[in-house]
Amino acid sequence: MPTRSNGSSQRTISALVSDRPGVLARISGLFRRRGFNIASLAVGRSEEPGLSRMTFVVEGPDEVVRHVAAQLDRLIDVVEVRDISESNIVWRELALIKVKAPAGARAEVLELVNIFRVNVIDIGVESLTVEITGGRQKIDSFIELVRKFGLQEVIRTGRVATLRGTLIEGEEDGLFQSDASASTYVLPVPTDQTGSV
Amino acid sequence: MTKHLTGSQIVCEALLKEGVSVVFGIPGGAILPLYGVLSQYPNLRHILTRHEQGAAHAADGYARSTGTVGVVFATSGPGATNLVTGLATAMMDSVPMVAITGQVGRAAIGTDAFQEADITGATLPVTKHNYLVMRADDLGRTVHEAFHIARTGRPGPVLIDIPKDVFMEMGNYDPDAPLNLPGYRVPGKADEAQINVAAALINESERPVILAGHGVVLSRSFDELKELAEKAQIPVVTTLLGISSFPEDHVLSTGFPGMHGMAYASLAIDQADLIINFGSRFDDRIVGDSKRFSVGSKKIHVDIDPAEINKTIKVEGPVVGNIKDVFAQLIPKVRKTTHVPWLQHIEHLKAEHPSLRIPESDRLMGQHVVKALSDVTKGDAIITTGVGQHQMWAAQHYQFKNANSWLSSGGAGTMGYEVPSAIGAQVGNPDKLVWSICGDGGFQMTMMELATAAENNLPVKYAILNNNHLGMITQWQTFFYNRDYQAETYTRNPDFVKLAEAYGIKGIRVTSQDQLESAIREANAHEGPVVVDFVIEKVDDLYPMIPAGQSIHELIEDPN
């Protein structure tokens, strides 16, 4: 997984939570308090009635994010929380991309659409809208390639992720380095104690 | 059996079922329907405070001193926001409380109605949990859930916000309806493997130290702590909030460590080969520089909250469980032993670094006052404090005889906690002597609650250590801001004796050491509340001191 030199990285956290008002505010508050950005967030009803599943990607020092995950577990409305960044997971996100495609460029755009196995869901006179599903790299690559035609709108859902049912290595994209031993969060040890008052 | 009642009645019936007998609060428009039924419930005693912050701290003092859940009522808007400091104080120190606030009517929520505040939003970070209840049918279960959450696991405050029309709506109350808390687990016994690791670490150690935190007090594990310490002959250091969890006249009692703790306590921790932490969160006031904190020791951390383990200090022996259960599991596995050389060394540290020596002075000093209070009351009083120099002098020089007789705002460091918390402690312990040791700064933040003490004839004794200064601020400006003194002097304090008298309270002034004993005896003998204005030395630094973020190696023991 991408880790920056300062020990910060994007981490994927999956939480099973009560389907009640205010739950999202409680969870996001624990990140906000430390000044962390939530890079993406996906929420929806889960397989269990009354419970929703949230998948969010946050950026911050690894140990601190893991500690926040432990604090999330303390919330009354959180039934289960896992930092699955280092687990054998499969994840996807979806994007709707409206790109300029005038007659002269349309063939080239459609060629990219075919290569990326993207669905065209709307065609206009000057533009077309596609639906792309996959890992972040695939979506980022597609966006970069069609940028020159003129991006009109990009809408991304945020990541949804789940643990693999098997331990067979999957495709590169969407799969973090496998580390089955770290399937749940390991509590952190801060390397630096600053901020004393 | 389901009853059909108004929302207000459901709240009161559920409170009674939870064993509540006292509520602190102030009414206002949105919560008036609840006050409107109080006359139907004479077993719910309501104590009217003068400020909602005072109500919250009183409920906190009641909760800490009795081990039950403190309850506070406030109205919507400013009534509710005035609770926030009290809730934050309780949250930081894991105090079980339930706050019930009125809210504007359901149709008006979100419209910036008169006296509307989003109090569930505002209190998200300072409550263990909170609720906005939109149906009278949900009130009973919500109150019972709130009490369950407040008192179990790691305790904490829970707020229930109730719109005015929900109080007035008819609803069903089934006192036996099941709670609905799928995400809430209460740790009990610890994992046996964790216990075995901890026991082995204890049995192997040659220089162990027990660090007893607030968790020992909250779980009422005083006897168990003593049993373990005596069985394996382990010195006991208590944290600031662990004070009074272990008898201070015990030979194994080794003081409290950290920024203004006893040097020998900090040194014992520094030189130990094993720290056994029961229910302390390795607070930065104890740890200082985490990279240099007791580097030669292994650590066991027993805590009911798994999120506290490895938070600031990495430990070799994590134990997650209720401390009382953990003691029961651990004690049989710990070998009966002696640590004669280590205990001799601790005695040597105590002799070399007395820490509690009071400087020679003919004038009256804060330490003299606390020492006299300790001597005259024979350590038998409940003590509450605010935050600052007076708090540390109280922690250092009062010798606590009874378990759980020390109430202080440790985590939040809330000035003004001392005045109302003493009221709550006195309400909860009507036959005990309660002394509130106050700074002149903190006292003036909540002194309007003298009216509450007078009105209810609560015989709380207030000792103001009055130096006309924010003494700790003066000290920090001396040490860390080049003696550039800013905003640390009160040039116009009120006459606290006259102030007391204005509230109909006995006031006494003490200006010299020879008046101490008689004044304290006079206050103790008086049947009602008393304010004693101890006019102490103007500027008097507090030692020992380990500057923030430093280690025992930067200890300033006593420059005099």
Side-chain angles (χ1 to χ4, degrees):
Chain A
M1 62 179 291
T3 298
R4 292 176 206 132
S5 56
N6 61 2
S8 272
S9 62
Q10 285 205 335
R11 300 197 72 85
T12 306
I13 293 173
S14 170
L16 194 62
V17 305
S18 294
D19 186 11
R20 288 182 192 164
V23 175
L24 181 58
R26 287 176 205 283
I27 289 176
S28 60
L30 287 176
F31 291 98
R32 175 194 47 75
R33 154 184 197 192
R34 295 180 188 247
F36 288 177
N37 188 31
I38 295 180
S40 91
L41 173 70
V43 191
R45 298 259 156 87
S46 75
E47 68 283 1
E48 289 187 54
L51 298 181
S52 293
R53 195 173 300 278
M54 289 187 181
T55 308
F56 42 96
V57 179
V58 291
E59 290 164 2
D62 294 356
E63 292 81 10
V64 184
V65 175
R66 286 182 192 170
H67 184 236
V68 176
Q71 290 180 325
L72 285 176
D73 206 15
R74 191 157 70 176
L75 294 176
I76 310 296
D77 284 330
V78 173
V79 177
E80 181 190 284
V81 60
R82 306 182 89 177
D83 179 344
I84 54 176
S85 311
E86 278 138 21
S87 305
N88 194 3
I89 60 170
V90 58
W91 56 270
R92 289 289 181 269
E93 64 176 273
L94 182 144
L96 300 180
I97 297 162
K98 188 184 286 177
V99 60
K100 271 192 190 164
R106 186 160 294 189
E108 203 179 338
V109 173
L110 286 173
E111 195 177 335
L112 286 169
V113 162
N114 283 331
I115 292 167
F116 277 80
R117 279 171 287 165
V118 172
N119 294 324
V120 177
I121 55 173
D122 183 60
I123 299 182
V125 178
E126 289 293 318
S127 69
L128 54 86
T129 302
V130 301
E131 167 205 312
I132 176 168
T133 311
R136 190 184 58 204
Q137 287 170 347
K138 176 180 171 183
I139 296 174
D140 286 350
S141 304
F142 182 79
I143 290 171
E144 282 314 307
L145 286 167
V146 298
R147 187 182 293 280
K148 65 176 179 185
F149 303 109
L151 284 173
Q152 292 191 320
E153 205 168 7
V154 174
I155 304 158
R156 299 174 74 151
T157 57
R159 185 181 299 176
V160 291
T162 185
L163 288 172
R164 283 180 181 274
T166 65
L167 290 176
I168 298 167
E169 293 276 319
E171 64 188 72
E172 177 78 12
D173 195 18
L175 175 66
F176 287 130
Q177 279 183 315
S178 173
D179 181 2
S181 65
S183 59
T184 53
Y185 57 81
V186 178
L187 290 159
V189 184
T191 50
D192 189 17
Q193 170 90 353
T194 52
S196 54
V197 290
Chain B
M1 192 195 69
T2 301
K3 298 179 192 174
H4 196 58
L5 301 166
T6 67
S8 297
Q9 289 172 319
I10 292 172
V11 169
C12 291
E13 299 238 341
L15 289 177
L16 287 170
K17 179 161 189 280
E18 291 294 341
V20 176
S21 57
V22 182
V23 173
F24 302 88
I26 305 185
I31 201 171
L32 271 179
L34 179 61
Y35 280 81
V37 302
L38 282 183
S39 61
Q40 300 167 27
Y41 299 95
N43 291 335
L44 276 182
R45 176 185 177 197
H46 181 273
I47 293 182
L48 177 64
T49 60
R50 292 301 185 269
H51 191 287
E52 288 86 355
Q53 182 188 352
H57 290 323
D60 174 314
Y62 180 87
R64 292 193 206 215
S65 64
T66 62
T68 59
V69 180
V71 182
V72 56
F73 288 173
T75 195
S76 64
T81 56
N82 279 347
L83 292 178
V84 170
T85 301
L87 293 170
T89 304
M91 183 69 177
M92 286 289 264
D93 290 348
S94 307
V95 177
M97 268 172 59
V98 169
I100 293 177
T101 50
Q103 180 57 277
V104 299
R106 280 171 289 192
I109 290 178
T111 66
D112 300 333
F114 175 67
Q115 288 194 335
E116 183 187 1
D118 172 13
I119 198 62
T120 47
T123 59
L124 274 183
V126 295
T127 51
K128 185 173 173 185
H129 195 54
N130 63 23
Y131 292 92
L132 169 64
V133 186
M134 297 294 270
R135 299 188 320 158
D137 282 340
D138 293 335
L139 274 172
R141 179 180 49 77
T142 303
V143 171
H144 294 311
E145 283 183 8
F147 275 80
H148 179 67
I149 291 167
R151 69 159 73 94
T152 57
R154 179 178 183 171
V158 180
L159 180 137
I160 308 173
D161 197 28
I162 305 173
K164 185 173 186 178
D165 55 334
V166 175
F167 281 121
M168 297 190 285
E169 182 179 81
M170 295 301 290
N172 291 318
Y173 172 48
D174 174 6
D176 302 314
L179 308 183
N180 179 22
L181 296 169
Y184 185 59
R185 293 169 297 276
V186 180
K189 278 190 174 179
D191 184 69
E192 210 52 38
Q194 292 184 331
I195 295 285
N196 290 337
V197 170
L201 286 169
I202 295 172
N203 290 334
E204 284 162 14
S205 72
E206 291 173 1
R207 302 188 307 279
V209 170
I210 290 174
L211 181 65
H214 202 204
V216 176
V217 176
L218 291 167
S219 64
R220 300 294 190 267
S221 304
F222 312 114
D223 294 341
E224 292 86 348
L225 170 64
K226 192 155 163 264
E227 188 183 345
L228 177 69
E230 287 178 347
K231 184 174 182 185
Q233 291 293 297
I234 303 172
V236 177
V237 169
T238 53
T239 68
L240 182 70
L241 288 186
I243 285 176
S244 80
S245 67
F246 192 75
E248 297 196 339
D249 55 359
H250 196 288
V251 67
L252 291 170
S253 173
T254 313
F256 77 95
M259 183 176 280
H260 292 295
M262 288 74 150
Y264 52 79
S266 297
L267 286 164
I269 284 178
D270 186 57
Q271 295 170 11
D273 70 351
L274 178 69
I275 294 171
I276 314 158
N277 172 353
F278 288 100
S280 154
R281 52 195 173 79
F282 282 121
D283 176 78
D284 58 87
R285 259 36 185 173
I286 292 175
V287 168
D289 179 357
S290 61
K291 286 194 288 260
R292 291 189 293 155
F293 174 71
S294 190
V295 287
S297 67
K298 293 183 173 172
K299 282 105 186 163
I300 295 169
H301 188 172
V302 184
D303 207 298
I304 200 163
D305 181 354
E308 289 299 339
I309 310 271
N310 286 337
K311 184 178 79 174
T312 54
I313 298 293
K314 183 173 165 29
V315 301
E316 288 78 8
V319 182
V320 176
N322 184 310
I323 288 183
K324 207 172 182 71
D325 293 329
V326 171
F327 272 120
Q329 291 172 276
L330 195 56
I331 289 170
K333 297 194 173 181
V334 170
R335 241 192 346 260
K336 191 170 160 63
T337 182
T338 60
H339 295 102
V340 174
W342 173 232
L343 292 176
Q344 281 174 341
H345 181 68
I346 300 268
E347 286 310 307
H348 172 73
L349 289 178
K350 287 180 183 172
E352 288 272 292
H353 305 275
S355 295
L356 300 185
R357 195 176 55 81
I358 298 173
E360 298 282 329
S361 172
D362 293 337
R363 293 204 276 173
L364 186 60
M365 304 175 71
Q367 298 96 312
H368 296 138
V369 177
V370 177
K371 183 74 169 46
L373 279 171
S374 182
D375 290 345
V376 174
T377 62
K378 299 188 172 64
D380 197 17
I382 293 175
I383 300 293
T384 77
T385 76
V387 172
Q389 289 185 320
H390 73 279
Q391 175 193 33
M392 293 297 133
W393 284 321
Q396 290 175 344
H397 296 281
Y398 196 90
Q399 192 164 40
F400 291 88
K401 194 178 116 189
N402 303 322
N404 191 32
S405 52
W406 161 254
L407 314 183
S408 190
S409 170
T414 305
M415 287 175 69
Y417 175 78
E418 59 264 57
V419 180
S421 61
I423 289 173
Q426 188 77 76
V427 169
N429 301 270
D431 300 327
K432 288 202 179 146
L433 179 62
V434 178
W435 270 94
S436 170
I437 300 178
C438 316
D440 55 303
F443 183 80
Q444 291 181 79
M445 291 188 177
T446 48
M447 65 187 179
M448 72 292 268
E449 302 305 342
L450 290 179
T452 310
E455 200 162 70
N456 294 280
N457 198 30
L458 297 166
V460 179
K461 319 300 178 194
Y462 290 98
I464 306 174
L465 306 195
N466 177 9
N467 60 4
N468 289 82
H469 274 78
L470 295 166
M472 194 69 101
I473 300 302
T474 309
Q475 179 165 350
W476 279 48
Q477 289 177 346
T478 302
F479 277 84
F480 310 118
Y481 297 90
N482 302 319
R483 297 178 185 271
D484 179 13
Y485 298 113
Q486 297 294 332
E488 39 71 71
T489 306
Y490 288 140
T491 54
R492 273 294 179 92
N493 264 346
D495 179 328
F496 290 117
V497 171
K498 280 188 184 162
L499 183 87
E501 287 164 1
Y503 281 108
I505 287 176
K506 185 178 179 65
I508 304 172
R509 178 162 294 117
V510 173
T511 55
S512 67
Q513 292 181 32
D514 56 6
Q515 299 168 323
L516 278 173
E517 192 180 323
S518 63
I520 294 167
R521 286 191 193 287
E522 187 184 350
N524 284 345
H526 185 70
E527 286 190 0
V530 180
V531 172
V532 189
D533 180 19
F534 293 97
V535 181
I536 62 167
E537 193 96 344
K538 282 278 178 281
V539 176
D540 182 13
D541 289 333
L542 169 69
Y543 298 103
M545 177 172 186
I546 300 172
Q550 302 285 330
S551 79
I552 182 70
H553 308 293
E554 285 79 36
L555 174 79
I556 303 165
E557 196 150 10
D558 185 353
N560 301 315

